[in-house]
Amino acid sequence: MSSAMEQDTGMFKVQQTIGSVLCCKCGVPMPPNAANMCVNCLRSEVDITEGLQKSIQIFYCPECGCYLQPPKTWIKCQWESKELLTFCIKRLKNLNKVKLKNAEFVWTEPHSKRIKVKLTVQAEVLNGAVLEQSYPVEYTVRDNLCESCSRFQANPDQWVASVQLRQHVSHRRTFFYLEQLILRHDAASRAIRIQQVDQGIDFFFGNKSHANGFVEFLRKVVPIEYRQDQQLVSHDVKSSLYNYKYTYSVKICPVCREDLICLPSKVASGLGNLGPLVVCTKVSDNITLLDPRTLRCAFLDARQYWRSGFRSALTSRQLVKYFVFEVEAPVGEATVGGQKYALSYVQIARESDIGKMFYVQTHLGHILKAGDQALGYDIYGANVNDDEMEKYRLRVKNGLPEAILIKKCYDEQRERKKGKPRAFTTKKLPMEMDESRGGRGVDPEKMENEYEEFLRDLEENPELRFNISLYKNKDYQESETASMTDGEGAPTVPIEELLADLELSEEEEEEGDDEDEMDE
């Protein structure tokens, strides 16, 4: 627009040019600068990397994968990670004399005990000219066990703090889920040993602060209460130094997902006269309770729960299979924590007694239809040993409901896929089995069945697998005819939610690096 105006006015504009001068050393034409020298001559005259460290020695613990940050701090870093690059740069001295522009790793053999970093720095040289230069720094890696690992190597039982995690229920489904959360957040990376015991897991740490951090993590993911004890191990009279062993006794709330609870009258009134017959739909740092006959819900945090300390009237071990004969149109809908529920009346019968029909309310009206199977609690024929349930039975006029359905059953659909691998797999903590406590070890067959139930829960409940990592199963092969023969099959985990468990061999890594060099 300005050029058009100039043409209209007839003004003459001088073309702006960039002048060039000859280098005072080699005579090559170049843009002018304060030193009147080209870049090559400047580099031959001035070395801005003089006085900077070109080689340095670092210490690495091969047991736990940590690097020593002097004087006594050990930092866990993966090979060629961002954290390792930051650690390497911080170990250099006199780097504040220049301006760091870029830093990157130079590939070395992992077993060479060498780490090379290419640094690009800037500095002012002759007459204020700015020179940029790159140079390599070589780090020599020396193996040296950290304090915790050296103590463990000398005596594997030489721990400082232990966390005894317990839940007094008849199954381990909570621990399977908690194990995946620990792996996802790498919460037990500081543990020197993990031991699986009856009704719980023991974590052993070489430092009290590591155990404190682990207990704080547990408080954020499950409702717990804990107690700390200490035992004097040794005492130096001259220096007044005391060595203690610390034990954290952590108890997880015994209420689990899918449990049926009869709330005490005081708790029910405090929750707005909820229930009192409620179903636990989720356990995280809060307990989510749902009234299956009104779709009202409430949330209890750990402090509120342990104040009352109620227990489940019926647990998932007591679920009974029902046949669904008729489902009426929903009379109400609600969404609790991202999960949709619809209130409907259904006609059902127990699998063991088809002739006895029940007409009950359920919150599963959005997924049940005639001909389905469902799992629920048989209140009509169950022998419930719960004081609150008996009080409520005497207080209510119309009596208790004959059954409360909990979830849809997919046993028939899963029977067709029996023996076939799943599309996903999970990782596990490196746990040892404890069979020394009077023979009360963990039953492998029972644990395998409970783990299978846990995998089914992951398939059926998207909210349950939201905070954990699932990986693609290499043995799984998708069948093209599965959807044609199975019809409406059991729920599965979508492939899009699975992570690839990448494992490259050294040969593949070398081939990949050779290809990168050829591309360059």
Side-chain angles (χ1 to χ4, degrees):
M1 183 175 179
S2 61
S3 61
M5 292 177 61
E6 290 172 359
Q7 291 178 2
D8 294 340
T9 56
M11 296 178 63
F12 175 74
K13 182 181 178 181
V14 179
Q15 295 289 335
Q16 190 174 10
T17 58
I18 300 176
S20 63
V21 298
L22 298 180
C23 176
C24 64
K25 287 286 186 180
C26 62
V28 174
M30 65 168 195
N33 57 38
N36 288 330
M37 282 191 287
C38 63
V39 176
N40 293 331
C41 293
L42 271 176
R43 288 176 179 172
S44 63
E45 291 289 328
V46 181
D47 183 13
I48 63 174
T49 64
E50 185 179 358
L52 302 180
Q53 286 182 296
K54 305 291 196 309
S55 62
I56 190 172
Q57 181 174 286
I58 59 177
F59 293 96
Y60 170 75
C61 178
E63 293 294 327
C64 61
C66 295
Y67 293 86
L68 176 62
Q69 178 71 43
K72 293 183 179 181
T73 306
W74 290 86
I75 303 175
K76 189 175 183 64
C77 304
Q78 298 294 330
W79 181 260
E80 292 192 354
S81 63
K82 181 180 178 181
E83 293 78 12
L84 182 59
L85 184 62
T86 305
F87 165 78
C88 292
I89 294 174
K90 287 183 177 180
R91 290 301 316 276
L92 297 176
K93 298 179 180 179
N94 301 327
L95 198 60
N96 55 352
K97 295 181 178 180
V98 294
K99 183 179 180 180
L100 181 64
K101 297 295 292 183
N102 188 33
E104 58 183 4
F105 285 106
V106 179
W107 186 84
T108 56
E109 291 284 351
H111 58 270
S112 65
K113 299 297 181 182
R114 296 291 188 276
I115 298 177
K116 290 186 178 180
V117 179
K118 181 181 177 182
L119 300 179
T120 302
V121 296
Q122 280 184 353
E124 291 188 1
V125 290
L126 302 175
N127 299 324
V130 179
L131 180 63
E132 183 173 298
Q133 189 173 346
S134 299
Y135 72 102
V137 180
E138 184 177 279
Y139 296 83
T140 304
V141 182
R142 301 295 183 190
D143 288 343
N144 186 23
L145 293 178
C146 63
E147 184 180 356
S148 300
C149 293
S150 60
R151 187 187 297 114
F152 179 74
Q153 288 286 344
N155 183 5
D157 293 328
Q158 190 66 29
W159 49 269
V160 175
S162 70
V163 178
Q164 298 176 350
L165 188 61
R166 299 290 185 271
Q167 186 184 32
H168 300 293
V169 293
S170 59
H171 56 83
R172 300 185 65 89
R173 290 163 61 189
T174 303
F175 291 105
F176 291 138
Y177 179 68
L178 190 58
E179 180 183 13
Q180 299 305 315
L181 289 177
I182 292 172
L183 289 169
R184 172 72 178 268
H185 299 278
D186 202 20
S189 59
R190 298 287 188 176
I192 60 178
R193 185 159 58 96
I194 304 175
Q195 191 174 58
Q196 183 170 318
V197 298
D198 184 43
Q199 292 189 337
I201 306 175
D202 290 344
F203 296 85
F204 299 91
F205 298 90
N207 195 309
K208 181 186 176 184
S209 62
H210 299 162
N212 277 330
F214 184 68
V215 173
E216 287 300 317
F217 167 78
L218 294 176
R219 289 181 60 185
K220 296 178 182 179
V221 295
V222 287
I224 63 169
E225 67 171 358
Y226 69 95
R227 187 187 69 188
Q228 177 186 343
D229 298 314
Q230 62 184 23
Q231 180 183 5
L232 181 64
V233 177
S234 61
H235 173 214
D236 189 349
V237 180
K238 295 182 179 179
S239 59
S240 296
L241 294 178
Y242 296 83
N243 291 327
Y244 291 96
K245 277 191 174 183
Y246 303 91
T247 302
Y248 295 84
S249 300
V250 182
K251 184 166 65 173
I252 302 177
C253 159
V255 175
C256 301
R257 197 174 62 86
E258 299 176 352
D259 285 359
L260 180 67
I261 305 162
C262 186
L263 295 174
S265 56
K266 186 176 180 180
V267 177
S269 61
L271 298 175
N273 291 325
L274 180 73
L277 280 182
V278 294
V279 176
C280 177
T281 59
K282 182 181 178 181
V283 178
S284 56
D285 55 339
N286 292 325
I287 303 173
T288 305
L289 303 176
L290 174 71
D291 188 343
R293 295 184 292 176
T294 62
L295 298 186
R296 292 179 58 204
C297 69
F299 302 92
L300 285 177
D301 59 18
R303 185 180 60 179
Q304 290 174 317
Y305 170 77
W306 293 113
R307 191 184 301 158
S308 56
F310 56 85
R311 297 184 64 89
S312 302
L314 294 172
T315 66
S316 58
R317 304 290 93 185
Q318 299 165 284
L319 287 172
V320 177
K321 186 182 294 186
Y322 288 87
F323 288 108
V324 180
F325 292 96
E326 183 182 354
V327 180
E328 294 187 0
V331 296
E333 294 183 354
T335 302
V336 179
Q339 189 73 24
K340 181 181 177 182
Y341 299 102
L343 187 62
S344 298
Y345 286 89
V346 295
Q347 189 177 19
I348 58 175
R350 288 175 296 188
E351 183 185 33
S352 59
D353 188 8
I354 297 293
K356 182 66 175 177
M357 296 285 185
F358 300 109
Y359 194 69
V360 297
Q361 278 183 312
T362 180
H363 60 291
L364 305 177
H366 60 297
I367 59 174
L368 290 181
K369 63 180 184 299
D372 286 343
Q373 295 180 0
L375 294 176
Y377 292 113
D378 181 17
I379 302 179
Y380 174 80
N383 184 12
V384 182
N385 186 16
D386 186 77
D387 294 337
E388 297 297 333
M389 182 80 82
E390 292 300 323
K391 293 178 184 178
Y392 180 60
R393 189 194 301 269
L394 297 175
R395 190 168 66 248
V396 70
K397 294 181 180 180
N398 299 327
L400 299 178
E402 290 82 2
I404 294 181
L405 301 183
I406 299 299
K407 61 181 178 178
K408 187 175 178 179
C409 181
Y410 298 94
D411 286 350
E412 290 185 358
Q413 293 88 338
R414 287 195 173 97
E415 193 66 26
R416 301 170 190 161
K417 299 183 179 181
K418 190 175 182 179
K420 298 179 182 179
R422 282 184 167 87
F424 69 94
T425 184
T426 59
K427 292 186 177 181
K428 295 186 178 181
L429 289 172
M431 288 189 287
E432 305 173 359
M433 294 292 183
D434 180 30
E435 299 181 357
S436 61
R437 302 189 179 187
R440 294 188 302 134
V442 180
D443 186 4
E445 184 178 356
K446 179 185 176 184
M447 191 169 70
E448 184 178 353
N449 294 334
E450 292 174 350
Y451 185 68
E452 175 67 22
E453 294 179 5
F454 169 68
L455 296 180
R456 292 180 180 180
D457 290 341
L458 291 180
E459 292 175 335
E460 297 174 9
N461 195 338
E463 188 181 2
L464 192 63
R465 58 178 184 262
F466 180 75
N467 292 322
I468 65 177
S469 298
L470 301 179
Y471 299 89
K472 294 180 180 179
N473 189 0
K474 298 179 181 179
D475 300 331
Y476 173 74
Q477 293 181 353
E478 188 174 1
S479 176
E480 297 179 357
T481 60
S483 58
M484 299 172 58
T485 58
D486 291 349
E488 185 183 354
T492 57
V493 179
I495 299 296
E496 296 78 15
E497 296 184 16
L498 304 182
L499 303 175
D501 192 8
L502 184 61
E503 294 181 0
L504 292 178
S505 62
E506 294 183 1
E507 296 179 357
E508 291 175 335
E509 291 178 352
E510 291 176 358
E511 291 176 0
D513 293 328
D514 293 340
E515 292 177 359
D516 294 339
E517 292 176 0
M518 292 175 64
D519 293 338
E520 293 176 359

